[in-house]
Amino acid sequence: PSEQESDSHQELEGRDQKVRHRLRACLATIFLASLNGLIGEESYHPFNFKDETLVLLNYISTRNIRGDAFGGLTAAVVALPMALAFGVASGAGAAAGLWGAVIIGLVAALFGGTSTLISEPTGPMTVVFTAVILNFTSQIPDRGTALALAFMVVMLAGLFQILFGLCRLGRYITMMPYTVISGFMSGIGVILVILQLAPFLGQTSPAGGVIGTLSSLPQLISGAQPLEFLLALITLLILWFTPENWKRFCPPQLLALIIGTALSLTVFADVGLSRIPEFSAKFPSFQPPTLSGITPDLLRLMVVNGAVLGMLGCIDALLTSVVADSLTRTEHNSNKELIGQGLGNLVSGLFGGLPGAGATMGTVVNIQAGGRSALSGIVRALILMLVILVAAPLASLIPLAVLAGIALKVGF
């Protein structure tokens, strides 16, 4: 009996030990799953990125340096004319568009949840931000104060996006019906086209936004500047009819920008064309938010505009993330992406940059050129920053009619 008791005791100890091992494994699994949920690290990329980057950052790999570098360079080439066009179209200036492309692209690439996403000012975000600027400038006589409030709206939009990400609303945003998104984006495109009619015809945009432009349309047509209209039309034709084999070597937007500027300096050299105002080649200044002089009505308007801008940025970015997933066979982290986009817009607003979101054109170009990690987005932002600091004086040579043609094409 003593031998049987000893055997049964050893068997019980063995079972207890197995149970303890299984319990420890279960607890470790639960702990790691909870930790991943808190920091946003999910298995959304086929590669194991341990020892390559911090879990709080996006997927940054050194395995594909050549592809990421070329993808970032190509995306920067595409982003340059678009950032200039959106900056001028918004009314905040070309510098705001360029620095918005740099800041949002860099921050979202570092902290986002889509490894190949390229973030920059987009058409929908620019249209809404333009409406915000027009709204504030119509109520506030001082343009500087109105712009400061508009950039505070960009900060609020970023805070809303961060809040959406922390509340894990990313998966629900992409469930919005396609008809709603299509109708909204179509309306945005129509507004963008209408707002570009005045510069496309070589004239200053009238006050009143869309309604003001439509009501002034007869005067705009009768007072159209033929040569500026011709230059804008040439730009539009280049964008529409660039051969496919040329697009592999030079994006149509950059080609239109170069050809249009060259024509303005040669063929139209004797014509007083409207050009981009000069801006200094220096880093943007920090613009801290202030609530002094803000009435309750203005504050309510800022919060509403910030929520609209933030939600639009979420939709724009996550839809582009889905496109990136389909091209790279990966799965993005929606909530982490929203936090990255929010941080990008928050920092952009603090430094006077345009709001932005994931850009489909830049993302597709980046992937097709070989970009596979967030390193491509970082390279793109650094290249754009270098171009701004070195070649900013050359921007004053670019005609506004060329940029109007580029922006008008985006509306289509």
Side-chain angles (χ1 to χ4, degrees):
S2 61
E3 292 180 357
Q4 291 178 355
E5 290 178 358
S6 177
D7 291 340
S8 62
H9 182 69
Q10 291 178 356
E11 185 177 354
L12 289 173
E13 285 185 350
R15 290 179 180 177
D16 290 342
Q17 190 173 6
K18 290 180 180 179
V19 170
R20 285 196 296 269
H21 282 311
R22 291 177 180 177
L23 183 60
R24 289 172 184 170
C26 290
L27 291 175
T29 303
I30 293 173
F31 173 75
L32 290 175
S34 302
L35 184 62
N36 288 341
L38 287 174
I39 61 179
E41 180 190 0
E42 299 177 2
S43 300
Y44 61 94
H45 202 281
F47 298 112
N48 179 10
F49 55 92
K50 289 182 179 179
D51 302 328
E52 293 188 17
T53 181
L54 297 174
V55 291
L56 291 174
L57 300 181
N58 203 345
Y59 173 71
I60 305 172
S61 175
T62 56
R63 299 177 182 176
N64 185 38
I65 293 180
R66 182 177 179 181
D68 287 334
F70 192 66
L73 174 62
T74 309
V77 171
V78 173
L80 182 62
M82 303 298 292
L84 286 168
F86 288 145
V88 173
S90 68
L98 290 172
W99 284 115
V102 172
I103 295 171
I104 297 172
L106 179 61
V107 176
L110 285 173
F111 299 102
T114 312
S115 57
T116 55
L117 187 70
I118 297 297
S119 301
E120 58 194 18
T122 62
M125 296 291 280
T126 302
V127 168
V128 175
F129 186 61
T130 303
V132 171
I133 293 179
L134 291 174
N135 200 341
F136 285 141
T137 52
S138 64
Q139 299 183 40
I140 302 173
D142 184 27
R143 180 173 174 78
T145 304
L147 283 177
L149 294 180
F151 290 127
M152 285 181 63
V153 171
V154 179
M155 301 176 210
L156 287 174
L159 291 176
F160 274 113
Q161 289 178 312
I162 295 173
L163 181 63
F164 295 153
L166 293 176
C167 294
R168 301 188 176 281
L169 300 178
R171 66 180 67 182
Y172 303 106
I173 292 175
T174 55
M175 293 180 182
M176 189 171 294
Y178 174 76
T179 52
V180 175
I181 296 175
S182 177
F184 186 78
M185 292 299 181
S186 299
I188 291 289
V190 172
I191 292 173
L192 184 58
V193 169
I194 293 173
L195 292 178
Q196 295 308 305
L197 289 178
F200 194 86
L201 296 172
Q203 299 190 63
T204 305
S205 297
V210 174
I211 302 301
T213 301
L214 291 177
S215 60
S216 304
L217 196 57
Q219 292 84 356
L220 292 175
I221 295 176
S222 61
Q225 303 296 319
L227 294 181
E228 295 206 37
F229 172 71
L230 178 61
L231 190 59
L233 190 60
I234 292 173
T235 302
L236 203 57
L237 292 175
I238 293 172
L239 294 173
W240 269 330
F241 299 108
T242 300
E244 289 295 330
N245 54 348
W246 288 21
K247 294 179 181 180
R248 293 181 297 176
F249 305 101
C250 184
Q253 294 82 6
L254 183 64
L255 185 65
L257 185 69
I258 294 173
I259 294 177
T261 304
L263 288 174
S264 71
L265 297 174
T266 54
V267 179
F268 305 112
D270 298 332
V271 182
L273 300 176
S274 300
R275 302 181 187 272
I276 295 178
E278 293 185 6
F279 60 92
S280 57
K282 63 180 182 180
F283 287 101
S285 58
F286 179 71
Q287 299 181 7
T290 177
L291 295 178
S292 60
I294 298 179
T295 63
D297 291 337
L298 273 179
L299 183 60
R300 182 168 57 252
L301 182 62
M302 290 170 62
V303 172
V304 172
N305 287 330
V308 171
L309 196 61
M311 179 58 72
L312 177 60
C314 293
I315 296 172
D316 212 354
L318 294 184
L319 289 178
T320 308
S321 295
V322 173
V323 173
D325 289 346
S326 66
L327 293 175
T328 57
R329 306 295 182 187
T330 57
E331 183 180 352
H332 70 278
N333 185 326
S334 299
N335 299 316
K336 198 162 180 286
E337 185 59 50
L338 293 185
I339 294 174
Q341 293 289 326
L343 289 173
N345 281 313
L346 178 62
V347 178
S348 181
L350 287 171
F351 288 92
L354 253 62
T360 303
M361 185 185 301
T363 301
V364 172
V365 165
N366 173 42
I367 294 171
Q368 291 177 344
R372 288 298 179 271
S373 82
L375 183 62
S376 58
I378 297 171
V379 170
R380 166 201 164 279
L382 295 178
I383 292 174
L384 274 180
M385 181 178 66
L386 185 63
V387 170
I388 297 171
L389 296 177
V390 172
L394 298 178
S396 60
L397 300 176
I398 301 174
L400 294 180
V402 173
L403 296 181
I406 294 174
L408 192 73
K409 172 62 170 60
V410 175
F412 287 100

